[in-house]
Amino acid sequence: MKELEEKISNSKNLKEIEEVRIEIFGKKGVLATQFAKMKDIPNEEKKDFAKNLNILKANLQKLFELKKEELYLKHLEQTLKEKAVDVSSFKYQGESGALHPVNFTMDRIIDYFVSMNFEVAEGPLVEDDFHNFQALNLPEYHPAREMQDTFYLDNGLVLRTHTSPVQIRYMKKNRPPFKMISPGAVFRKDMDLTHTPMFHQVEALVVAKEAEVSFANLKSILVDFLRYMFGDVNVRFRPSFFPFTEPSAEVDISCIFCKGEGCRVCSHTGWLEVLGSGMVDPNVFKAVEYEGMSGYAFGIGVERFAMLIHRIGDLRSLFEGDIRLLEQFR
Ligand code: DAH
């Protein structure tokens, strides 16, 4: 029966060994044929014949199992090699995104004030006349209302024209001393190179007992903040007017494009106006029953900062969603 053993050992793959299996162990295979011969064998020889046949069968089976296992492992190894995925060659083919310049600038502004322990508060985009105007010392028919090109809704409410109304909501809900900022969208009927009907502001308000907050505090935090945002700039305060602050100041930085020499961007003045600020007007404190308190406030135009930081010429382009523009900020 050497011949059968060789057939098993010489099988080269799973297909061949399967054919050998059928040939040897199948229903009509060599072993079945041998066992069938039993009935023709004289009785006294039957026992030995059967015994030998069973030994043969067991040996062949053992040999078969070992060979099959060996061929299976070989097959597995080969398949794994052929179908292997080279993980190190994987390359992401898509485009990566980037923060919109307005979000980028907004995040940077918020990061600064959070690091200075300011709380972040938000308010509604649709405001009533009291919060957007009256409580901020802008009574009806006050000429200063003209400064803000308001969107009026049919129900008498307005789209907030600034984030200052959140000051009022925050003061009604909390007790001083506190430091807060309020970032968010605001709306005005305005559209040109540097204005869009929707834009973003960050309002800041610091309130404590009288004599605990001063104009000097306001000045020092703004100088620090503006240098954080724009690098090594000079900062100047110009007397100005806002209904909700007294005294009020507009804040300029030395032009970041010409370093104060004078250029087209700064209209040859050497200065760029960046925000409005002041000490909270006593009339505002009166509206929220905060008599005896002192505080300062300022309002930052986020798009104005983004335009300066990223040197964007036309603000409207930021809101058109043109992917070619946004790709430049990756
Ligand atoms: N609310 C003003 C605006 O939208 C910005 C502003 C100016 C806010 C001076 C202030 C401030 O808190 O003190 O034009």
Side-chain angles (χ1 to χ4, degrees):
M1 291 287 134
K2 258 243 153 359
E3 197 192 326
L4 291 178
E5 283 174 12
E6 267 165 22
K7 267 199 172 145
I8 293 176
S9 334
N10 291 341
S11 299
K12 282 192 284 297
N13 52 47
L14 288 176
K15 189 169 167 259
E16 276 183 29
I17 193 121
E18 173 63 7
E19 280 162 13
V20 171
R21 184 189 68 79
I22 293 167
E23 192 185 331
I24 299 175
F25 305 101
K27 268 198 191 114
K28 293 173 186 161
V30 180
L31 288 173
T33 316
Q34 289 300 318
F35 277 112
K37 284 183 183 157
M38 286 270 277
K39 60 178 188 315
D40 306 324
I41 285 182
N43 270 346
E44 62 276 19
E45 289 173 31
K46 260 193 180 133
K47 205 178 154 198
D48 276 351
F49 182 85
K51 195 179 157 198
N52 287 336
L53 207 50
N54 274 322
I55 289 172
L56 175 70
K57 187 183 171 190
N59 285 340
L60 287 173
Q61 232 154 14
K62 207 192 267 168
L63 195 65
F64 171 84
E65 293 301 339
L66 283 172
K67 188 68 191 175
K68 191 171 172 186
E69 173 80 9
E70 179 197 316
L71 291 174
Y72 173 75
L73 287 175
K74 209 168 104 187
H75 166 79
L76 192 66
E77 201 180 324
Q78 205 169 340
T79 314
L80 286 177
K81 213 182 277 170
E82 278 165 15
K83 302 206 170 148
V85 176
D86 181 359
V87 193
S88 67
S89 78
F90 179 74
K91 182 164 168 275
Y92 177 60
Q93 299 288 335
E95 303 286 350
S96 60
L99 277 181
H100 189 281
V102 172
N103 288 334
F104 173 85
T105 309
M106 181 70 107
D107 286 355
R108 237 179 109 70
I109 295 171
I110 293 172
D111 281 352
Y112 175 84
F113 288 105
V114 166
S115 81
M116 290 300 198
N117 269 334
F118 281 63
E119 190 185 336
V120 180
E122 288 182 302
L125 303 184
V126 175
E127 266 298 4
D128 54 42
D129 198 85
F130 175 78
H131 290 92
N132 197 77
F133 293 122
Q134 284 174 44
L136 289 162
N137 197 26
L138 273 153
E140 228 175 329
Y141 305 119
H142 192 288
R145 283 201 184 196
E146 296 291 312
M147 286 162 72
Q148 312 197 338
D149 307 287
T150 313
F151 284 109
Y152 288 94
L153 306 181
D154 288 343
N155 54 9
L157 299 176
V158 300
L159 296 185
R160 69 179 184 191
T161 56
H162 48 179
T163 41
S164 304
V166 188
Q167 282 189 15
I168 304 301
R169 293 185 178 275
Y170 190 90
M171 284 194 280
K172 286 202 294 193
K173 256 209 203 134
N174 298 274
R175 298 308 302 171
F178 61 73
K179 306 197 271 189
M180 66 81 96
I181 54 165
S182 174
V186 301
F187 306 87
R188 289 186 201 180
K189 286 188 195 164
D190 211 350
M191 178 92 143
D192 59 31
L193 272 185
T194 54
H195 298 88
T196 47
M198 185 279 307
F199 59 105
H200 299 82
Q201 291 186 335
V202 177
E203 184 82 13
L205 174 69
V206 174
V207 179
K209 276 207 212 82
E210 217 147 14
E212 282 177 7
V213 247
S214 66
F215 202 94
N217 300 147
L218 166 65
K219 200 171 168 194
S220 84
I221 193 164
L222 279 179
V223 171
D224 191 55
F225 165 64
L226 291 169
R227 291 196 174 142
Y228 171 84
M229 293 300 291
F230 296 106
D232 188 17
V233 288
N234 292 324
V235 179
R236 82 174 178 187
F237 287 68
R238 242 177 329 102
S240 184
F241 170 79
F242 297 104
F244 25 85
T245 43
E246 181 61 33
S248 304
E250 269 171 315
V251 182
D252 301 339
I253 55 170
S254 51
C255 182
I256 52 176
F257 301 104
C258 62
K259 304 265 176 275
E261 298 269 305
C263 67
R264 250 185 47 215
V265 184
C266 60
S267 309
H268 302 282
T269 62
W271 295 94
L272 297 165
E273 184 193 320
V274 287
L275 54 82
S277 67
M279 302 305 291
V280 179
D281 193 292
N283 282 341
V284 174
F285 281 147
K286 212 157 134 196
V288 292
E289 294 165 8
Y290 261 42
E291 280 94 347
M293 291 298 153
S294 168
Y296 62 78
F298 47 91
I300 299 161
V302 179
E303 277 76 1
R304 169 102 179 119
F305 276 42
M307 288 180 85
L308 292 174
I309 290 168
H310 295 288
R311 305 186 180 217
I312 296 159
D314 186 344
L315 180 57
R316 293 166 297 192
S317 65
L318 280 185
F319 300 113
E320 283 163 359
D322 188 329
I323 197 77
R324 289 168 303 179
L325 178 112
L326 297 175
E327 273 167 2
Q328 298 172 51
F329 298 102
R330 233 186 256 144

